[in-house]
């Protein structure tokens, strides 16, 4: 899923000028090899059931480089894949070092997920200045003897958060990459929205998205966000659209942030 937004800078008291700029955002679930084999996903395995990551990795790099978006949200990717496949490998005429040269990469590993995969945000260096990053942990969900979900003792998954200064508009943007899995994470969407509520005065606007593992309608976007609907079903064998990108409509003037 790819989309573009137009940002408008918030002019300060001594400057009446405002700068406009369009920025592009895409989100991709890269399908981790462990889950490709575990669930026998045809997109991620050869006919014998083995992962085809070594075949897909060059195609993923070519897609990221050729699309040349300003921001990428990536899910189901581990630290080894980030360092050795997406940032430092050579695939024919296309080198993943182009990604390393052109993008800041912020990656967080899910605390206790089986594959030790995680979420990552790539931001174009020529467009954004990364100021701060952090992880939003999702509590593990357990099912008790009465078949009622309750909070576990561990953190299961997480979201990645980056605060970045837009060189064009001057806005401080909070970018957040998510991967929701409610079967084993306790209220992940609510956790993320509460984080935004608590930190909204630290940024001018919020852009978040990723693999939500659920569909939305025009009447049910979460929180005060507009939404961008996937142009096609995430899985060609299904009609459900689960990859989403959201933009907060309200911009908070920098002068009002405390």
């Amino acid at each position: 899923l790819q989309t573009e937004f137009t940002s408008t800078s918030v002019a300060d008291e001594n400057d009446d000028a405002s700068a406009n700029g369009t920025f592009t955002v895409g989100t991709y679930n890269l399908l981790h090899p462990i889950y490709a084999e575990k669930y026998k996903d045809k997109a991620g395995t050869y006919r014998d059931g083995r992962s085809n990551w070594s075949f897909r990795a060059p195609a993923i790099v070519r897609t990221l480089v050729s699309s040349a978006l300003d921001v990428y949200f990536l899910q189901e990717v581990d630290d080894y894949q980030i360092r050795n496949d997406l940032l430092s490998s050579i695939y024919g005429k296309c080198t993943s070092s182009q990604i390393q040269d052109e993008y800041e990469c912020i990656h967080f590993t899910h605390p206790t997920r089986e594959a030790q995969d995680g979420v990552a945000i790539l931001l174009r260096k020529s467009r954004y200045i990364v100021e701060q990053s952090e992880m939003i942990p999702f509590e593990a969900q357990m099912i008790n003897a009465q078949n009622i979900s309750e909070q576990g003792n561990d953190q299961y998954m997480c979201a990645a958060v980056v605060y970045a200064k837009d060189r064009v508009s001057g806005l401080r943007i909070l970018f957040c990459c998510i991967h929701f899995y409610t079967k084993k994470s306790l209220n992940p969407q609510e956790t993320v929205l509460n984080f935004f509520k608590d930190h909204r005065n630290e940024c001018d606007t919020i852009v978040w998205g990723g693999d939500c593992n659920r569909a939305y309608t025009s009447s049910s976007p979460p929180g005060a966000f507009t939404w961008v609907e996937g142009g096609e079903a995430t899985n060609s064998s299904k009609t459900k659209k689960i990859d989403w990108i959201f933009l907060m409509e309200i911009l908070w003037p920098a002068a009002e942030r405390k």
Side-chain angles (χ1 to χ4, degrees):
L1 174 60
Q2 300 180 8
T3 190
E4 64 179 33
F5 300 108
T6 299
S7 60
T8 303
S9 68
V10 181
D12 61 35
E13 295 178 356
N14 299 318
D15 185 5
D16 295 328
S18 63
N20 296 319
T22 296
F23 62 96
T24 51
V25 184
T27 179
Y28 294 93
N29 184 318
L30 301 187
L31 182 56
H32 193 274
I34 287 181
Y35 297 121
E37 293 183 355
K38 180 178 181 179
Y39 296 109
K40 299 178 173 59
D41 193 308
K42 293 181 179 179
T45 56
Y46 293 112
R47 291 183 179 180
D48 62 3
R50 292 181 300 113
S51 167
N52 62 5
W53 173 255
S54 61
F55 174 79
R56 291 192 297 119
I60 290 170
V61 169
R62 288 193 296 270
T63 297
L64 297 178
V65 171
S66 63
S67 297
L69 303 184
D70 295 308
V71 181
Y72 289 105
F73 297 148
L74 305 179
Q75 306 90 48
E76 287 200 33
V77 59
D78 64 36
D79 183 66
Y80 182 89
Q81 291 172 304
I82 288 286
R83 290 184 290 105
N84 295 280
D85 296 323
L86 300 187
L87 298 183
S88 60
S89 294
I90 299 176
Y91 302 116
K93 295 181 180 179
C94 183
T95 66
S96 58
S97 62
Q98 291 175 261
I99 298 178
Q100 187 172 26
D101 292 342
E102 297 178 14
Y103 292 89
E104 294 283 358
C105 178
I106 295 87
H107 175 266
F108 289 98
T109 300
H110 297 309
T112 59
R113 196 157 134 102
E114 176 186 0
Q116 285 295 284
D117 61 314
V119 284
I121 301 177
L122 304 182
L123 296 102
R124 184 176 293 281
K125 295 178 181 179
S126 61
R127 181 63 187 265
Y128 297 104
I129 302 171
V130 174
E131 297 183 337
Q132 180 183 343
S133 64
E134 62 182 289
M135 177 184 76
I136 305 175
F138 301 153
E139 297 298 329
Q141 180 168 241
M142 307 294 289
I143 304 298
N144 63 22
Q146 288 73 41
N147 200 34
I148 299 174
S149 63
E150 58 184 19
Q151 182 173 324
N153 296 321
D154 299 315
Q155 297 170 346
Y156 181 62
M157 295 176 73
C158 68
V161 170
V162 174
Y163 294 88
K165 179 70 170 295
D166 187 335
R167 297 178 189 270
V168 175
S169 67
L171 294 178
R172 190 174 197 247
I173 303 175
L174 188 162
F175 291 103
C176 179
C177 175
I178 61 88
H179 188 182
F180 295 154
Y181 187 59
T182 56
K183 289 182 179 180
K184 293 188 177 181
S185 295
L186 186 67
N187 301 323
Q189 178 175 285
E190 180 180 349
T191 300
V192 167
L193 295 179
N194 285 338
F195 178 92
F196 295 159
K197 182 178 179 181
D198 293 339
H199 296 268
R200 67 181 189 178
N201 288 328
E202 300 174 20
C203 61
D204 296 307
T205 192
I206 300 171
V207 179
W208 69 280
D211 184 348
C212 298
N213 265 315
R214 59 157 293 179
Y216 296 93
T217 66
S218 58
S219 60
S220 65
F225 293 88
T226 57
W227 52 283
V228 179
E229 184 177 4
E232 299 178 358
T234 304
N235 189 320
S236 59
S237 65
K238 302 177 181 179
T239 59
K240 191 175 182 179
K241 300 175 182 178
I242 61 175
D243 295 319
W244 297 83
I245 298 172
F246 296 94
L247 170 70
M248 178 160 282
E249 294 179 294
I250 301 173
L251 300 183
W252 290 284
E256 296 182 7
R257 294 203 306 269
K258 296 181 181 180

